[in-house]
Each structure stands twice: as C-alpha cells, then as structure tokens.
Amino acid sequence: MIYSRIVSTGSYLPPRRLTNADLTAELAAQGIETSDEWIVERTGIHARHFAAPDVTCSDLAHQASLQALASSGLQAADIDLIVVATSTPDMVFPSAATILQHKLGITNGCPAFDVQAVCSGFVYALTVADSLIKTGTAKRALVVGAEVFSRILDFKDRTTCVLFGDGAGAVILEASDTPGILASDLHADGRHKDILCVPGTVSGGQVLGDPTLKMDGPAVFKLAVGVLESAARATLAKAGKTDADIDWLIPHQANIRIMQSMAKKLKMPQEKLIVTVDQHGNTSAASIPLALDSAVRSGKIKRGDTLMLEGVGGGFTWGAVLVQY
Ligand code: UT7
C-alpha cells in the first residue's frame, strides 16, 4: 500500500498587518462604523495581513513553498506535482500553480493546476494530491493554499470586510510505506451557492456583475457547524478511529465560535484546537496550512500526532482530512 506523508510545511504572511484598531480607523475615514469589540466578540479576530497591491497569489504561494522546501531538504526539481488551492489566482488563466512552478524554477514538466473550492480548497487539494500519490502518478507533491482575499472585499460592507486576510501555507507530501494521510471526506451542495459568493465575471473585456464577496454570515455559520461535524465523523469512521484518537483539531479559521463548537462536538479540550484566526483573520484556502505550519513550527504538533483538518466554504463545499503527521 502506498500512502502519502507530510514531509514538511511552510507559510507566508505579507508584512502589512492591520489590527482591528487600524482597520476600524481606516473604515471610519470612509464613514463605515465597526469596532474592535464587535469583531473580537463575534469572530475572535484581532488582526489580519493584507498584501501590497503589486503582490499576487502566486507570490505568496512562492514564499510559503520556499519555506516548505527548505524544511524538507528537497530541491524544487524533486517536486513532481503542484496543486494550488485558491479562489484569488493571479489571472483568469494560466493557473497560479503553473506560475508558481515557473517561479520555483521547476522545468521537469510536472503537472500543475489549481483547485477552486473556496475555503475548503486546501482539504480538497490535499485529497487530490494524496489520490495521485496513491495511484503512483506522483511521488512528491507540493500542495499550497494561497489567497489575496483583500482584492475581492467590499470595504463599504462591514459585515464582510473585517473578516478576511491574505496569506499562504504549503505542505510537501511524499509517497511512503507508512501513513500519512489516513482518510478524507469531501462534499459540495450547489443549492447553497448564493450564501457565499463573488458573483461577478469577466466578459467582453469588462467585469460583469459585482466582483466583491457577498456572504450571508448567519446562514453560513449554521450550515458550517453541522457539516463540519458530519465530515469529521465520516473521516474518522473511514480511518477506523474515534474522537479520542485526534491529537489536534485544525479547522478552517473563519470564526472562533464555530471552531470552539467543533472541538466541543468532538469532545476535545479547547487546548487541542489550533487557533490562528485571531492573528490571520479568515484567509480562505490558506487558513488550514497556515495554522498547520504555525503549530508545527511552535513545536505543538509533533511527529506521529493525529491531526483532523476541516474545511468549509463557498459552493457550498466542505470536507475533512485525517493525517498522521
Ligand atoms: O470562510 C467560509 C466560512 N465562513 C464562515 O464560517 C463565516 C460564518 N459566519 C460568521 O462567522 C458570522 O455569521 C459573522 C461573524 C459573519 C457575523 O456574526 P453574527 O453573530 O452572525 O452577526 P450578524 O450577521 O447576525 O449581525 C449581528 C449585528 C447586525 O446588527 P443588527 O441587525 O442586529 O442591528 C449587524 O448589522 O451586527 C451588525 N454588524 C456589525 N456591527 C459592527 C455586522 N457586521 C458588523 C461590524 N461591526 N463589522
């Protein structure tokens, strides 16, 4: 049996950091009223990072990938598959993954493509890469979640613009005799496509429709709590494990209240919940690998630990991946 194992992780946050006080002051200048108290109480977010105007998704992905490569001891040329999870790629096409391949100087012709499943993107991308490793198509995959959500925010809409941030996280997966990725469970339900979307598109040389993020927060909240639990339970069942086997819970970092309720449902102490939403905000497909890398680098996550990764977002999409690190 071939498994895929996480060899290393990396991440990158653009240097411009805005605390709630910074953002609140900027919004007040535009006549938009919000407060640190509201943002912290409703979401747990204290700060987020925004990329400079000339910095793209693939730039963030590149920095995170370089860090993952440096930690792996591998060379860029050793990578034989690149999957980037993003909803904010550099351009309509080519994919951020092929641009990343070029920036990394990889000329071995390995497949490179983007996965678009919004905030579930990283669990989707990890599952796709795991499958390609298991079938022998790839041996060493670079899997990245990278976003510049600041580009698609409507800074006149206080119900969304305080929630999101930019960043990237990366993992290198390698074929191995031992696990690895233990199981995963992916889902989508397009009936809920309108509760979280960027409805605009490009046509005839123009942007048609609204190119900024729209979210019915309470509807997303309600759905997220239910589907995250069912995906986690299905993943545990596929792996023959129980709640008690999970060492660390790494959910999509959107709202501390959703994350804490997940830990409770899985009967996990809150100390076993990896939290970066307070410092990063919601970085969509980048949030899980950013949280994973921060917990690996801080020494919380150790080799052999069992990790439950959970994503949920626009589409509506959701899923979970159980990993033995
Ligand atoms: O990444 C994909 C997954 N996304 C998520 O998981 C997000 C899920 N949803 C949420 O996290 C929460 O629904 C939000 C954080 C988005 C909103 O929290 P909420 O507790 O559901 O608040 P709400 O939308 O029901 O709004 C409550 C009040 C409203 O005022 P009224 O109508 O009660 O007078 C809003 O107008 O809070 C008001 N409000 C704000 N006030 C100050 C909304 N945004 C703000 C703001 N500052 N930024």
Side-chain angles (χ1 to χ4, degrees):
M1 173 85 181
I2 306 174
Y3 296 97
S4 52
R5 227 190 100 243
I6 296 180
V7 178
S8 65
T9 64
S11 65
Y12 181 74
L13 291 161
R16 185 169 173 238
R17 178 176 182 270
L18 281 94
T19 62
N20 289 346
D22 297 331
L23 186 60
T24 297
E26 282 194 12
L27 292 172
Q30 313 298 319
I32 307 297
E33 199 188 314
T34 185
S35 65
D36 175 54
E37 292 72 28
W38 189 93
I39 301 170
V40 171
E41 187 191 311
R42 300 297 175 123
T43 71
I45 297 168
H46 291 265
R48 75 287 292 141
H49 292 246
F50 284 163
D54 59 340
V55 170
T56 63
C57 169
S58 70
D59 289 330
L60 304 183
H62 183 210
Q63 294 305 319
S65 301
L66 288 176
Q67 203 183 55
L69 277 167
S71 300
S72 71
L74 297 168
Q75 302 301 310
D78 297 326
I79 299 298
D80 61 5
L81 170 68
I82 301 173
V83 188
V84 175
T86 187
S87 301
T88 49
D90 299 21
M91 51 185 82
V92 174
F93 67 78
S95 65
T98 55
I99 300 170
L100 173 63
Q101 183 195 45
H102 176 62
K103 285 182 178 168
L104 289 170
I106 299 175
T107 55
N108 58 13
C110 73
F113 56 92
D114 291 357
V115 164
Q116 209 271 47
V118 203
C119 303
S120 310
F122 189 73
V123 292
Y124 268 64
L126 206 56
T127 303
V128 169
D130 175 49
S131 306
L132 289 172
I133 286 176
K134 281 189 174 133
T135 56
T137 305
K139 285 200 161 50
R140 291 194 186 106
L142 173 62
V143 186
V144 185
E147 301 281 13
V148 280
F149 255 53
S150 59
R151 302 283 154 76
I152 53 167
L153 296 178
D154 175 358
F155 285 96
K156 289 189 184 61
D157 176 7
R158 69 176 184 171
T159 68
T160 53
C161 72
V162 300
L163 306 176
F164 295 89
D166 301 338
V171 306
I172 295 176
L173 282 183
E174 188 171 47
S176 165
D177 297 338
T178 53
I181 292 182
L182 300 170
S184 66
D185 187 60
L186 301 181
H187 296 276
D189 186 344
R191 286 176 298 175
H192 304 293
K193 64 184 173 46
D194 297 326
I195 62 172
L196 177 47
C197 60
V198 177
T201 188
V202 178
S203 175
Q206 289 185 319
V207 175
L208 294 188
D210 191 335
T212 61
L213 184 146
K214 310 288 165 221
M215 179 165 74
D216 178 346
V220 172
F221 194 109
K222 218 184 281 173
L223 262 176
V225 174
V227 297
L228 284 175
E229 184 182 11
S230 61
R233 299 232 166 273
T235 307
L236 286 169
K238 285 182 196 178
K241 305 269 185 195
T242 68
D243 302 4
D245 294 312
I246 307 172
D247 293 307
W248 298 101
L249 177 62
I250 313 180
H252 169 47
Q253 310 275 318
N255 186 317
I256 190 73
R257 292 183 290 144
I258 298 177
M259 295 162 58
Q260 287 171 341
S261 96
M262 273 316 302
K264 217 182 251 176
K265 282 174 190 249
L266 294 174
K267 299 182 207 75
M268 298 184 65
Q270 297 294 328
E271 308 85 74
K272 292 294 184 181
L273 175 65
I274 304 293
V275 177
T276 51
V277 68
D278 56 337
Q279 295 305 316
H280 302 169
N282 179 347
T283 58
S284 191
S287 90
I288 294 173
L290 266 164
L292 170 64
D293 183 57
S294 97
V296 166
R297 281 176 199 277
S298 73
K300 271 186 180 174
I301 292 178
K302 302 206 167 29
R303 282 288 166 201
D305 284 354
T306 301
L307 321 177
M308 174 63 81
L309 316 184
E310 292 186 299
V312 61
F316 207 66
T317 56
W318 67 97
V321 180
L322 193 70
V323 180
Q324 193 170 320
Y325 179 68

